[in-house]
Amino acid sequence: MIISPSLLSCDFANIQRDVEMLNNSSADWLHIDVMDGVFVPNISFGLPVIEAMNRHAKKPLDVHLMIVNPDQYVADFKKVGADYLTVHYEACTHLHRTIQLIHQHEMKAGVALNPHTPVEVLSEIICDLDLVLIMSVNPGFGGQKFIPQAVEKVRKLKKMIQESGSSALIEIDGGVNLETGKLLADAGADALVAGSFVFNSVDPSKTIADLKGLN
Ligand code: DX5
Ligand code: ZN
C-alpha cells in the first residue's frame, strides 16, 4: 500500500519539522492539498509554500488541486516540484487537454472524483491516466467523516482499470484510518491519503507504518 500523508493537517508553523518526520517515516509520497476558495469553500496554501516544502522533502510530491482552471498553473506546479498532479473531473471542461498538458510537463497525471461523481465518467480516458483519486469526503477540509460509498467505487474502478488494461493507480482521500483503510485495501486501493489520522495521532510515524501494513 502506498501511503501519502496529507500536509493539510501538519503544523504550518513547523512545516520543515513535519516534512522531515515524513522523510524519516515509511510514507511513500507527500500529499499536498491546494484549495482556491472557489472550487471548494476553503483556501489552503499555494506555490511558494509548496516550493518551501519541496526544499526539505525527499519523497515524491502528490499534489491534489482543488482549483478551477488548473491548466493555467500546470507549468508552475512543475517548477515547484510536483511529481503527481491531480485535477478534479468537476473542474475541467476539457479534461483530455488538461491531462495532455500535465504529461507534456513530465508529471504523472491524476483525476479526482467528488463523492457524487460516478467512476464511469472516466471510461474514455482511463488509459491516459496515471492515477485516479476517489474522494471519500467532500473536498475542502480535513477531519471529516468517511463516506462509505467510496468502497464500492473503488471496486468498480478496479474492474474498469483491469478490463481496459490501464495502469492507473487508485488513491483514496478523506476520512482514512485503519478501519476504513482496511475496507479500501480489500476493495483494491493502491494508495491511501491520511491527514488528521496521522497528524493528530500520538506517534505519526507509527501511524504511517500501521497504515502501510494494510494489504
Ligand atoms: C480534503 C483533502 C484531504 C484531507 C484529508 O479536501 O483533499 O487530502 O487532507 O484529511 P483527512 O485524512 O483528515 O480526512
Ligand atoms: Zn487531498
Side-chain angles (χ1 to χ4, degrees):
M1 186 62 78
I2 294 166
I3 304 299
S4 191
S6 169
L7 284 160
L8 186 65
S9 291
C10 82
D11 177 357
F12 291 152
N14 288 288
I15 289 179
Q16 179 176 352
R17 182 200 66 192
D18 285 354
V19 168
E20 283 169 358
M21 180 277 290
L22 296 178
N23 286 341
N24 295 324
S25 77
S26 48
D28 298 278
W29 302 340
L30 275 51
H31 187 81
I32 295 186
D33 289 299
V34 179
M35 304 177 184
D36 65 355
V38 179
F39 180 68
V40 288
N42 196 10
I43 298 173
S44 55
F45 45 76
L47 294 158
V49 174
I50 300 173
E51 193 272 327
M53 288 169 169
N54 193 42
R55 253 184 275 146
H56 304 289
K58 294 190 178 140
K59 298 184 178 181
L61 301 189
D62 166 32
V63 178
H64 175 194
L65 298 184
M66 286 160 272
I67 66 173
V68 297
N69 299 323
D71 295 35
Q72 173 175 6
Y73 299 104
V74 166
D76 294 324
F77 282 104
K78 174 66 182 177
K79 271 192 216 131
V80 298
D83 294 285
Y84 282 82
L85 195 62
T86 295
V87 296
H88 264 266
Y89 171 81
E90 301 82 5
C92 296
T93 309
H94 302 285
L95 184 61
H96 187 268
R97 180 183 289 154
T98 306
I99 297 305
Q100 283 179 308
L101 188 63
I102 295 171
H103 281 150
Q104 277 162 18
H105 287 83
E106 292 172 347
M107 292 177 283
K108 303 275 193 190
V111 173
L113 299 180
N114 275 340
H116 73 276
T117 305
V119 296
E120 286 80 6
V121 299
L122 297 180
S123 63
E124 301 301 324
I125 202 168
I126 193 70
C127 290
D128 295 308
L129 303 181
D130 302 294
L131 180 87
V132 178
L133 181 60
I134 304 257
M135 293 306 300
S136 40
V137 297
N138 284 296
F141 303 91
Q144 303 181 80
K145 197 171 170 298
F146 183 77
I147 298 173
Q149 284 84 345
V151 178
E152 189 51 35
K153 285 175 81 172
V154 171
R155 269 193 213 102
K156 281 189 192 160
L157 179 60
K158 188 82 184 176
K159 194 162 176 275
M160 184 197 292
I161 287 172
Q162 282 167 345
E163 287 175 0
S164 65
S166 162
S167 51
L169 297 172
I170 304 177
E171 185 178 36
I172 324 297
D173 188 3
V176 170
N177 54 35
L178 281 173
E179 197 182 323
T180 56
K182 175 73 183 133
L183 299 174
L184 296 164
D186 290 347
D190 301 295
L192 299 176
V193 175
S196 53
F197 184 62
V198 166
F199 284 97
N200 295 349
S201 70
V202 179
D203 184 348
S205 201
K206 181 180 181 299
T207 305
I208 293 166
D210 291 344
L211 286 167
K212 182 86 192 149
L214 291 171
N215 273 309

